[in-house]
Amino acid sequence: MMASYLLEALATEDNFDEDAYLRANPDVVDAVRAGGVDSGRAHFAAIGKDERRSLKYPPALIAEAKRRKRERIRPLLRADMPSVETQGCLDFLSPELRAQFDIVDTEAVSSNGYDGHAMALIDEYRDGLILDCGAGKRPVYFDNVVNFEIVDYDTTDVRGVGEVLPFADDSFDAVLSIAVLEHVKDPFQCAREIARVLKPGGRLMCCVPFLQPQHGYPHHYYNMTAQGLRNLFADHLIVGRGQVYDSILPIWSLTWILRSWAEGLLGETRQDFLDLRIGDLLEDPAHYLQQPFVTELSADKNQELASATVIFARKRYGSRD
C-alpha cells in the first residue's frame, strides 16, 4: 500500500506540532532559549501564524523510507552504468555524463507539489512504481514514486540525467515528467528513455511550458507547443488528446509575465506600470517601444520575458578556428 511522508508544511491551528515548529524555525529556538518567548506555540500564536511559518518533520522518517525504496528499486537498475551509493540516494551522475550534458552544480531549488492529475496517477498505482523524471525537491515523499533528479535533494532517490536513465527496460507502471523537458539538453533522447523504461501499457503524464518566461534549474533550453510535445513521443507511445487544465491555463502565464515585469522596474516607472489598464496595453507593440516601462527594463528581465530568442553564428573553418 502507498505511504507518504510530509517533509514540511505550513503550520496551522489544526496541525501544530511543537517539535516540528522548532525544527523548522531556528530563530524561534533561539528566542525560547533567551527567554524572549515561552514556547514555539506562544510564538506561533503571537506572530508565527501571520508570518506563515512552517513545520519540519523528523528526518529519520524520510531516511528509513528512502532506504526501503532503494532496496525495492535495486533489481531495476542497469548493470552497465557506474554508480555511487550515498546515504541519501543512488548516484549515477558520472563526470562523463556531467560533461556530455552540461550538468553544473546549482543552488537553485525547484520545489512544487503535485496537482490533482498527478495525484490521481500516484493513487492509481499505489501498489506499483512510478518514476518522477526530474522530480525537484518534493514536499511530500511517496513510497511508490522514485524521485529522479540531477540534484541531490533530501527527497532524491536516484541521481542522473534524463537522456541516459539508469533503469532497465519496462521498469515502471507510470512516469511523471512535469516542467522538466524544457531544462533537458536533448529532449528527444529523454523522451526515448522515458518510453523505454515504461512497462507495456504504462502511463505517462508530461507537462512542458509553452508561454512561460525563461527560468533555469539551472538551464532552460526549450519551450514547446502542444504539437511539439506530441512530436517528442509520437514514435514511441500512443499519445492521447492534450488538455489545458486549471494549473496551466493562460492566466498563469499572464500573471507571471506582468508580475515579473513590475519587479524589474523601480520607483515612479513601476507605479505607472501598475496603474495601467489592460486596455492601455493593446496598441501595436511598436507604440510602446519608447515608453519608460519598456526602456527601463533591465537586460536580465528582457532576456527572461523576451518574445523570441535570436542568435548569430558561423561555421568553423577548421578544428583550430
Side-chain angles (χ1 to χ4, degrees):
M1 296 295 291
M2 178 180 69
S4 61
Y5 307 86
L6 192 64
L7 278 72
E8 295 189 35
L10 177 69
T12 68
E13 293 287 355
D14 294 333
N15 71 2
F16 187 85
D17 178 280
E18 180 77 11
D19 290 339
Y21 190 76
L22 295 176
R23 192 177 294 110
N25 300 285
D27 62 316
V28 180
V29 175
D30 293 340
V32 171
R33 287 174 178 167
V37 65
D38 291 337
S39 64
R41 165 62 81 173
H43 179 276
F44 174 71
I47 61 174
K49 184 176 182 180
D50 291 338
E51 291 178 345
R52 298 180 63 81
R53 293 292 187 111
S54 297
L55 304 175
K56 183 178 289 185
Y57 295 92
L61 287 176
I62 185 72
E64 175 57 22
K66 292 183 76 172
R67 184 197 65 78
R68 291 196 305 269
K69 191 185 294 180
R70 284 198 300 274
E71 296 308 310
R72 185 179 180 189
I73 64 178
R74 280 188 204 282
L76 306 178
L77 299 174
R78 290 171 53 173
D80 61 333
M81 292 182 63
S83 66
V84 176
E85 183 167 353
T86 68
Q87 186 175 3
C89 74
L90 298 162
D91 193 344
F92 289 84
L93 190 55
S94 66
E96 293 76 16
L97 288 177
R98 280 179 173 272
Q100 182 179 356
F101 296 104
D102 296 335
I103 304 301
V104 298
D105 293 328
T106 177
E107 299 297 321
V109 177
S110 173
S111 180
N112 296 290
Y114 294 120
D115 67 14
H117 298 271
M119 282 303 305
L121 200 63
I122 292 170
D123 184 63
E124 180 178 349
Y125 293 104
R126 65 176 66 88
D127 296 320
L129 208 55
I130 295 173
L131 176 64
D132 190 338
C133 192
K137 176 182 170 68
R138 288 296 178 192
V140 180
Y141 186 82
F142 290 90
D143 274 348
N144 65 327
V145 179
V146 176
N147 295 318
F148 181 81
E149 250 297 327
I150 63 167
V151 180
D152 187 9
Y153 296 122
D154 55 2
T155 54
T156 300
D157 296 307
V158 183
R159 195 179 187 205
V161 297
E163 293 95 334
V164 189
L165 293 177
F167 307 104
D169 297 357
D170 307 334
S171 290
F172 294 97
D173 298 286
V175 174
L176 296 169
S177 177
I178 303 171
V180 172
L181 291 183
E182 73 270 27
H183 305 297
V184 172
K185 187 175 182 180
D186 188 343
F188 284 92
Q189 176 61 21
C190 189
R192 287 191 290 269
E193 283 290 274
I194 286 172
R196 180 182 65 78
V197 303
L198 267 175
K199 292 179 179 178
R203 303 264 301 281
L204 168 67
M205 175 181 173
C206 183
C207 180
V208 180
F210 172 37
L211 295 180
Q212 285 187 14
Q214 178 176 299
H215 55 280
Y217 292 107
H219 304 299
H220 185 158
Y221 294 108
Y222 307 105
N223 283 13
M224 302 181 199
T225 64
Q227 289 176 321
L229 182 55
R230 291 178 65 90
N231 187 52
L232 284 185
F233 292 98
D235 290 342
H236 316 293
L237 304 175
I238 301 170
V239 181
R241 180 178 60 87
Q243 183 179 355
V244 181
Y245 45 78
D246 285 356
S247 60
I248 57 172
L249 287 170
I251 189 62
W252 294 89
S253 297
L254 179 62
T255 56
W256 183 344
I257 291 170
L258 291 176
R259 188 182 299 115
S260 187
W261 195 310
E263 289 170 356
L265 300 173
L266 297 173
E268 185 177 348
T269 300
R270 182 177 190 274
Q271 190 56 53
D272 288 343
F273 178 73
L274 292 173
D275 289 341
L276 291 172
R277 300 170 302 163
I278 292 175
D280 295 328
L281 293 170
L282 298 182
E283 298 284 347
D284 186 304
H287 175 76
Y288 305 106
L289 291 180
Q290 301 307 315
Q291 294 294 317
F293 73 86
V294 174
T295 61
E296 295 179 21
L297 204 60
S298 70
D300 285 344
K301 282 296 181 183
N302 278 323
Q303 185 67 57
E304 175 191 340
L305 302 170
S307 175
T309 302
V310 62
I311 63 169
F312 300 89
R314 67 178 176 88
K315 185 176 180 179
R316 292 183 177 88
Y317 289 108
S319 59
R320 294 185 179 181
D321 180 37

